[in-house]
Amino acid sequence: NLPYYITTPIIIKMIEDSIPVDKMVVMVQKEVGDRFKAVPGNKDYGSLSVFLQYNFDVTKVVNVNKRCFEPVPKVDSVVVKLSKNKKFQAQNEEKFYKLVKDSFTQKRKNLRNNLRNYDLNKIENVLKKYNKDLTSRAESLTIEEFVDIKNDLDKVTKAIPNNVKRPVIEKVFEVGDMANAAKGEIAEGQKIAN
């Protein structure tokens, strides 16, 4: 029975520090338990749901009515079992957790807004596989989709070997032309004469 006000920080700390735990049975506030086991599309689904379910199978054992306690608290409780799972494997878990957290930064905003500091083209390519796009919200993504996005972001673009001829760049700007370009006086794609 963990103190309710620090239940989530304790569990998150155990995950972040990779403390080896095969199974935990804990009693938590019912609303927190609902977040632990929430599924995509549910109003309770958030980064906490993803963090826990990435690491554990979460099952409800029993609801505990507040009237079971003396004095009677203000909230109902639930006993949940967390069993270690290995269903998912992000290539870099620290970055995976950051991606998930960033995705839910502003829950009512879409992925394009919450992940604007990431490579949106790569993210959109992954989302297309699941019939989704950047207008989707984080709460609609499964854990598998989050893992797929993170693993794709971690792929390094293959460098062009030195002996391969590189494409000629059509836009050539001289230093004096940069100010005009900044003012929009040079048309898009226009080649500047030397």
Side-chain angles (χ1 to χ4, degrees), residues 66-103:
K66 60 187 173 187
R67 289 187 293 278
C68 294
F69 300 95
E70 185 63 44
V72 178
K74 295 179 180 176
V75 296
D76 290 321
S77 301
V78 64
V79 176
V80 293
K81 180 170 75 172
L82 308 176
S83 305
K84 189 70 178 170
N85 77 46
K86 298 188 186 210
K87 294 182 208 170
F88 311 105
Q89 189 58 57
Q91 292 168 0
N92 182 319
E93 290 187 341
E94 186 178 335
K95 288 182 179 178
F96 168 74
Y97 295 142
K98 183 177 185 330
L99 170 75
V100 171
K101 186 176 177 183
D102 290 345
S103 298

Side-chain angles (χ1 to χ4, degrees), residues 6-178:
I6 57 167
T7 299
T8 300
I10 287 173
I11 294 174
I12 295 298
K13 180 71 173 162
M14 292 172 68
I15 291 171
E16 288 175 343
D17 291 351
S18 300
I19 295 172
V21 175
D22 288 328
K23 183 166 63 173
M24 283 190 288
V25 179
V26 294
M27 184 163 66
V28 297
Q29 185 176 330
K30 185 177 183 306
E31 288 76 12
V32 174
D34 290 342
R35 289 171 57 207
F36 282 8
K37 59 187 180 58
V39 296
N42 183 293
K43 66 180 177 61
D44 294 318
Y45 186 71
S47 58
L48 178 62
S49 314
V50 176
F51 291 156
L52 280 181
Q53 294 172 38
Y54 174 82
N55 290 279
F56 299 100
D57 289 321
V58 182
T59 52
K60 180 177 81 171
V61 177
V62 65
N63 287 322
V64 182
N65 192 288
K66 60 187 173 187
R67 289 187 293 278
C68 294
F69 300 95
E70 185 63 44
V72 178
K74 295 179 180 176
V75 296
D76 290 321
S77 301
V78 64
V79 176
V80 293
K81 180 170 75 172
L82 308 176
S83 305
K84 189 70 178 170
N85 77 46
K86 298 188 186 210
K87 294 182 208 170
F88 311 105
Q89 189 58 57
Q91 292 168 0
N92 182 319
E93 290 187 341
E94 186 178 335
K95 288 182 179 178
F96 168 74
Y97 295 142
K98 183 177 185 330
L99 170 75
V100 171
K101 186 176 177 183
D102 290 345
S103 298
F104 284 96
T105 300
Q106 298 184 65
K107 201 168 179 183
R108 303 312 298 168
K109 291 205 176 238
N110 62 33
L111 294 170
R112 183 187 308 281
N113 290 320
N114 284 341
L115 299 179
R116 62 185 174 273
N117 294 325
Y118 290 79
D119 185 336
L120 293 177
N121 289 330
K122 280 189 171 186
I123 293 172
E124 187 155 44
N125 286 337
V126 174
L127 290 171
K128 282 178 185 173
K129 294 192 309 191
Y130 301 99
N131 296 317
K132 295 179 182 173
D133 58 33
L134 292 169
T135 63
S136 302
R137 291 179 176 155
E139 64 199 35
S140 73
L141 268 60
T142 65
I143 299 171
E144 179 186 2
E145 289 163 0
F146 276 116
V147 170
D148 203 358
I149 289 169
K150 185 67 209 102
N151 288 344
D152 200 65
L153 287 170
D154 284 343
K155 288 179 185 169
V156 178
T157 305
K158 207 170 186 180
I160 301 173
N162 287 334
N163 61 347
V164 175
K165 190 173 179 182
R166 285 160 171 72
V168 176
I169 298 182
E170 291 300 319
K171 287 187 189 178
V172 180
F173 291 99
E174 292 182 1
V175 175
D177 295 315
M178 293 310 238

